[in-house]
């Protein structure tokens, strides 16, 4: 005869040890996937590849850049930041208990292995770039390096992974070899500018960073100086891109990016009145102009600017 049914309390306890799918998705933060996906798309455009033939690799690369590598980095960061998040953002899945036990760590490891597997499928360039991205993601959040403890190093690692690396990877994977040096240079410049974007993102967590000894730039410099630095760091690389495009014979793209930079300047002037209060607003306005300039650069490079 069949045994007795498990007690309702025991069944509920077993279910409580499994995270809800919504909590897992929240851990991977889909909203953060846009920057690397956009950068990878810029690399696709700049490569000049025929998408009618290369679309499967392009699509796989977009999935790798966003849901996999970026999602993995978010899981790693949330696991090693769970004590800081308990102060700054206690509603997140791990500090709130919606991801019980060590589920956050297991998901981070699983997504790391999955990312490396997909990178392997994209060839030597794809795998090498994925390995670099994975290594930087763990170095950023995990001890002993924990690069995020210093705003200069941590922001540089994030900017490289979010902007430069996916752009160069896409250009290499889609072109089947080393990317055009001009593509590499422009990707590096936009990655350098993204250091300022990362600084603005740190304004939301100043209290927890102070409490746990994380020396973000708003903590080190104070909100006003950090905001001014972020604006300069974002603006100067774009001005260099404008000059390069003019030198390479792409005046229309240069003019478009110059206009975008001027509009960003107006937004920056407002941001500096109240950096902590207006950083989210700038992230929705000024950063949108920034990424549109990235695509204008990619289109110019695809057009074969001499």
């Amino acid at each position: 005869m069949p045994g007795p049914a498990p007690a309702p309390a025991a069944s509920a306890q077993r279910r409580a040890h499994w995270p809800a799918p919504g909590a897992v998705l929240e851990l991977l933060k889909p909203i953060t996937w846009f920057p690397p996906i956009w950068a990878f798309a810029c690399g696709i455009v700049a490569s000049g590849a025929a998408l009618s033939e290369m679309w499967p690799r392009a699509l796989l690369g977009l999935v790798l850049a966003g849901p996999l590598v970026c999602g993995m980095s978010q899981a790693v960061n949330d696991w090693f930041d769970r004590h800081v998040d308990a102060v700054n953002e206690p509603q997140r899945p791990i500090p709130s208990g919606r991801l019980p036990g060590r589920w956050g760590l297991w998901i981070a490891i699983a997504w790391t292995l999955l990312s490396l597997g997909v990178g392997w499928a994209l060839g030597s360039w794809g795998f090498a770039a994925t390995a670099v991205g994975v290594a930087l993601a763990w170095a950023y959040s995990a001890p002993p390096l924990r690069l995020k403890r210093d705003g200069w190093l941590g922001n540089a690692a994030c900017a490289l992974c979010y902007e430069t690396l996916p752009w160069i990877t896409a250009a290499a994977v889609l072109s089947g070899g080393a990317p055009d040096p001009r593509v590499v240079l422009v990707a590096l410049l936009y990655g350098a500018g993204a250091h300022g974007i990362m600084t603005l993102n740190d304004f939301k967590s100043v209290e927890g960073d102070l409490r746990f000894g994380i020396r973000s730039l708003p903590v080190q410099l104070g909100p006003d100086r950090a905001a001014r630095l972020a604006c300069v760091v974002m603006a100067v690389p774009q001005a260099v891109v404008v000059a390069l495009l003019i030198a390479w014979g792409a005046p229309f793209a240069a003019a478009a990016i110059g206009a975008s930079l001027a509009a960003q300047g107006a937004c920056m002037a407002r941001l500096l009145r109240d950096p902590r209060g207006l950083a989210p607003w700038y992230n929705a306005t000024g950063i949108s102009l920034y990424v549109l300039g990235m695509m204008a650069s990619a289109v110019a490079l695809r057009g074969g600017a001499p």
Side-chain angles (χ1 to χ4, degrees):
M1 295 183 63
S11 299
Q13 185 177 19
R14 280 200 296 271
R15 287 195 301 271
H17 284 83
W18 289 86
V24 175
L25 185 62
E26 188 178 341
L27 177 74
L28 302 175
K29 296 187 187 67
I31 195 172
T32 67
W33 302 348
F34 172 77
I37 286 176
W38 185 262
F40 197 93
C42 288
I44 293 172
V45 171
S47 73
L51 283 181
S52 59
E53 302 172 3
M54 302 296 290
W55 69 266
R57 292 174 70 82
L59 181 60
L60 190 61
L62 292 169
V63 172
L64 176 65
L68 295 183
V69 174
C70 184
M72 173 273 303
S73 72
Q74 298 302 322
V76 173
N77 183 66
D78 273 24
W79 173 256
F80 289 103
D81 252 15
R82 59 195 185 278
H83 305 303
V84 180
D85 287 341
V87 175
N88 288 330
E89 298 179 85
Q91 76 281 2
R92 284 188 172 184
I94 295 175
S96 69
R98 289 179 291 125
L99 276 179
R102 301 175 71 84
W103 268 103
L105 178 61
W106 305 141
I107 292 169
I109 293 173
W111 245 244
T112 296
L113 297 175
L114 182 58
S115 297
L116 290 170
V118 173
W120 181 267
L122 287 174
S124 57
W125 278 95
F127 180 74
T130 303
V132 170
V134 164
L136 284 174
W138 282 88
Y140 175 80
S141 298
L145 293 179
R146 197 159 164 75
L147 298 177
K148 73 175 298 175
R149 287 181 297 193
D150 180 83
W152 298 101
L153 294 176
N155 288 359
C158 279
L160 177 65
C161 288
Y162 271 70
E163 305 293 352
T164 301
L165 190 60
W167 192 328
I168 294 174
T169 303
V173 167
L174 272 293
S175 64
D180 187 319
R182 294 167 300 177
V183 172
V184 175
L185 179 56
V186 171
L188 285 169
L189 285 167
Y190 274 107
H195 192 287
I197 297 174
M198 302 305 162
T199 298
L200 294 182
N201 191 54
D202 286 335
F203 278 99
K204 69 179 186 297
S205 56
V206 172
E207 286 79 9
D209 291 347
L210 281 167
R211 178 172 173 179
F212 290 99
I214 296 176
R215 291 174 51 79
S216 67
L217 292 187
V219 168
Q220 292 188 46
L221 305 177
D224 292 339
R225 291 176 62 199
R228 288 195 295 271
L229 175 68
C231 290
V232 171
V233 168
M234 287 185 285
V236 170
Q238 293 179 83
V240 175
V241 170
V242 169
L244 287 174
L245 290 174
I246 293 172
W248 292 337
F252 295 111
I257 297 166
S260 169
L261 182 55
Q264 289 173 61
C267 294
M268 289 173 182
R270 184 185 177 197
L271 168 71
L272 294 177
R273 298 175 197 162
D274 178 15
R276 291 195 67 178
L278 292 174
W281 167 82
Y282 188 87
N283 286 337
T285 54
I287 304 307
S288 298
L289 293 166
Y290 186 94
V291 300
L292 288 174
M294 290 172 55
M295 186 57 74
S297 302
V299 171
L301 291 168
R302 181 183 182 90

